[in-house]
Amino acid sequence: MKHSGRLFVPSLPTLWPHMLLSRPKPGELPPFSSPNVRYFYFARNAIWLTVKMLGLDSGEVLMPAYHHGVEVEALVDAGATPRFYRVGSRWDVDLDDVARRIGPKTRALYLTHYAGFPGPVAEMRKLADQHGLILIEDCALSLLSSDGAVPLGTTGDVGIFCLYKTLPVPNGGALVVNGPRQYSLPEPPAPPSVSTFSHTVSALLQNLELRGGLAGRALRSAVRTLGHGTVKAANIERVATGTQHFDRKHVDLGMSPLTKRIAQAQDLESIVEQRRRNYFFLLGRLRDISAPLFNQLPPGACPLFYPLVVQDKAEVLARLRVQGIDAIDFWKRFHPACDASAFPEVAQLRRSIVEIPCHQDLTPEVMADVAQAVREAVKSDHRSKKRAG
Ligand SMILES: Cc1ncc(COP(=O)(O)O)c(C=O)c1O
C-alpha cells in the first residue's frame, strides 16, 4: 500500500542542517562522558570485540531469549556460545532463571535494556560478582537512558551503545569499559566517506520532507532516484545501518568523524525530555484501546519508541504506513540457537509489539495525529479480529 496522507513520521530522528554547523557541547551522558570509550561503525562491532578482548570466546554467555538476533550473531562469530534465559511478558528478566542456568562453562551474563527501559542491572551485577562472571550491558536501544540517577551502561564491566538509533548520525556504536582495568584497543579506521555522505544526505532529505510537507516529499523523491542511480553507477559501497545480520567484513569499521561532530551538536537533556513527553502523550491517548506494556516511565528513562501491543502486526503496520507513519515490526524472530518453544512469553511478544515513533523531531501537533492514526489502525484490527472470530 502506498503512503497517501499528509503525515510524514520517520522511525528515526532526521538531520537538521544547523547541526552540521553548531558548536560542540560536552556530552554529559555515556558513552560521551566515559573516560574509557572506543567508537565503531556499529554496536555489533563492539560486541564482537568484547568477546575477543575479555577472552569469552571459549565459553558460554547467558543471553536473554528476547533479543534482536544480530547481537547473538556477533557473539557467535567471535567464538562464544550463547545460552538463553527467560524474559517475561513485560520485558522482565527472570533473575531466578538466570541464576539457575549459570554453569561451569558460563563466562558472562548479558543484559539488554529494552527501548530505554532499565533492566535489573544491580541484581545482575550481584549475580555476576557472586559467580566471578563478566557483566555485559547492552544499551544499543537505550542511549541517553538512566535508571534514576544511574546512567545505563555504567554498571556492567562493559557497556555497549548504538548512536544512530537515537541521534541523527550516519553511523556509530560505542564500547565503554568500566572499572580500573585498561585495555589497549586499536583505533578502528574511519568508514568510506562516500558511505557517510550518502547516509547524511538521506537524513537531511528526511528532514526536508518532515518540514516541507508535499513539496519536501517531491524533492526528496527526485533526489533519491538520482542518488540511487549515482550510487549504482559509481559502484559506491554504502555500508547500510540497521541491518538484521552480522557481516564479518565490517567488523573493523570505525565511526565517521562527522558522527562525532553531529553528536556533539545535540542537546542531550532536551532529547530525553522530548522523548519522554511524546511517550507520555501516547500512553495517555492509547491506553484505553491497547493495554500498555508499561503504565509509567521510570525516572531517567529515555524511550526509544512506544511499544504498542497489537493482535495483527502486519495489518496494523500496513495501516500506519498508509498514513505516513514509519512504525516498525519489533523483533519478529528468534536467533536459530534459541529454542523458541522454551520461551512462550517471548514468542508472544514477538508476535505483538509494534514500535511507534516518539523521537525528538515529533512535535505535540504531530504526536496528536500519530495517536489518532494509531487509534484508528488498532480499532480496525479489533474489528477484523471480531469478524474472523
Ligand atoms: C539489543 C541490540 N544489541 C545490539 C544491536 C546492534 O546494533 P548495531 O545495529 O549498531 O550493530 C542491536 C540492533 O538492533 C540490538 O537491538
Side-chain angles (χ1 to χ4, degrees):
M1 276 191 273
K2 220 170 163 319
H3 166 201
S4 57
R6 70 191 159 82
L7 264 183
F8 173 64
V9 181
S11 59
L12 299 177
T14 68
L15 182 59
W16 296 70
H18 71 82
M19 291 173 180
L20 293 169
L21 306 167
S22 307
R23 277 235 224 114
K25 299 186 223 6
E28 268 144 25
L29 282 165
F32 311 110
S33 58
S34 307
N36 200 354
V37 56
R38 262 286 175 272
Y39 291 100
F40 301 88
Y41 197 83
F42 292 119
R44 62 197 77 178
N45 297 5
I47 298 169
W48 194 91
L49 193 70
T50 295
V51 172
K52 295 295 188 191
M53 177 181 86
L54 299 176
L56 307 175
D57 41 356
S58 54
E60 295 181 356
V61 178
L62 270 180
M63 303 185 87
Y66 198 35
H67 47 255
H68 176 283
V70 73
E71 73 283 47
V72 186
E73 285 187 14
L75 190 119
V76 170
D77 188 275
T81 304
R83 297 281 181 234
F84 298 92
Y85 60 80
R86 189 182 153 262
V87 175
S89 56
R90 306 231 171 251
W91 294 358
D92 46 311
V93 167
D94 183 341
L95 291 161
D96 291 337
D97 194 50
V98 178
R100 247 192 316 272
R101 288 175 194 266
I102 294 173
K105 291 191 186 150
T106 312
R107 295 281 172 275
L109 304 182
Y110 194 106
L111 174 68
T112 299
H113 298 288
Y114 299 114
F117 286 85
V121 71
E123 292 84 346
M124 289 288 271
R125 177 76 269 172
K126 206 163 148 203
L127 256 183
D129 290 345
Q130 277 166 359
H131 294 269
L133 304 173
I134 293 289
L135 177 62
I136 301 170
E137 231 185 315
D138 184 328
C139 312
L141 306 183
S142 298
L143 187 76
L144 315 184
S145 206
S146 298
D147 187 357
V150 183
L152 301 189
T154 56
T155 309
D157 293 277
V158 299
I160 284 159
F161 298 85
C162 172
L163 273 54
Y164 66 81
K165 294 185 199 338
T166 303
L167 305 178
V169 290
N171 51 62
L175 171 62
V176 165
V177 181
N178 298 312
R181 260 201 291 184
Q182 296 288 320
Y183 295 87
S184 71
L185 298 173
E187 184 69 60
S193 38
V194 279
S195 179
T196 304
F197 178 74
S198 155
H199 284 287
T200 307
V201 169
S202 81
L204 281 167
L205 288 172
Q206 294 224 357
N207 181 259
L208 194 69
E209 179 162 353
L210 185 83
R211 290 181 297 141
L214 289 175
R217 186 180 306 166
L219 185 61
R220 177 168 165 241
S221 158
V223 178
R224 274 171 96 191
T225 313
L226 201 77
H228 285 318
T230 315
V231 166
K232 251 197 201 146
N235 217 357
I236 285 171
E237 199 205 356
R238 186 182 201 266
V239 184
T241 49
T243 50
Q244 300 296 311
H245 296 288
F246 179 79
D247 185 345
R248 170 76 75 89
K249 205 166 74 211
H250 298 140
V251 76
D252 291 325
L253 270 192
M255 187 174 92
S256 62
L258 186 62
T259 296
K260 197 166 223 172
R261 189 187 172 94
I262 298 170
Q264 286 178 333
Q266 308 295 313
D267 182 343
L268 304 182
E269 234 175 71
S270 84
I271 292 175
V272 178
E273 253 169 49
Q274 285 157 341
R275 285 178 172 265
R276 288 179 65 89
R277 176 199 69 203
N278 290 344
Y279 188 97
F280 278 123
F281 184 86
L282 289 176
L283 185 63
R285 292 278 173 107
L286 302 178
R287 66 185 344 148
D288 62 320
I289 52 154
S290 168
L293 205 57
F294 302 104
N295 262 314
Q296 35 98 339
L297 202 46
C302 175
L304 188 66
F305 54 80
Y306 181 88
L308 180 73
V309 182
V310 303
Q311 295 183 28
D312 185 338
K313 269 197 194 191
E315 185 177 325
V316 172
L317 284 166
R319 286 181 189 283
L320 292 175
R321 295 251 162 85
V322 173
Q323 297 297 323
I325 299 172
D326 193 11
I328 306 273
D329 185 343
F330 187 60
W331 287 5
K332 195 149 75 186
R333 289 196 186 84
F334 285 90
H335 183 276
C338 183
D339 175 10
S341 67
F343 302 103
E345 298 104 325
V346 174
Q348 178 56 25
L349 279 169
R350 292 187 186 281
R351 283 191 292 272
S352 59
I353 303 290
V354 165
E355 298 182 19
I356 306 298
C358 68
H359 57 75
Q360 59 270 29
D361 276 354
L362 308 175
T363 60
E365 296 73 37
V366 171
M367 290 314 294
D369 290 341
V370 170
Q372 189 53 33
V374 172
R375 289 186 70 81
E376 279 158 23
V378 171
K379 278 189 196 151
S380 314
D381 183 34
H382 289 336
R383 274 199 296 275
S384 57
K385 292 293 112 23
K386 244 188 216 152
R387 271 200 302 277

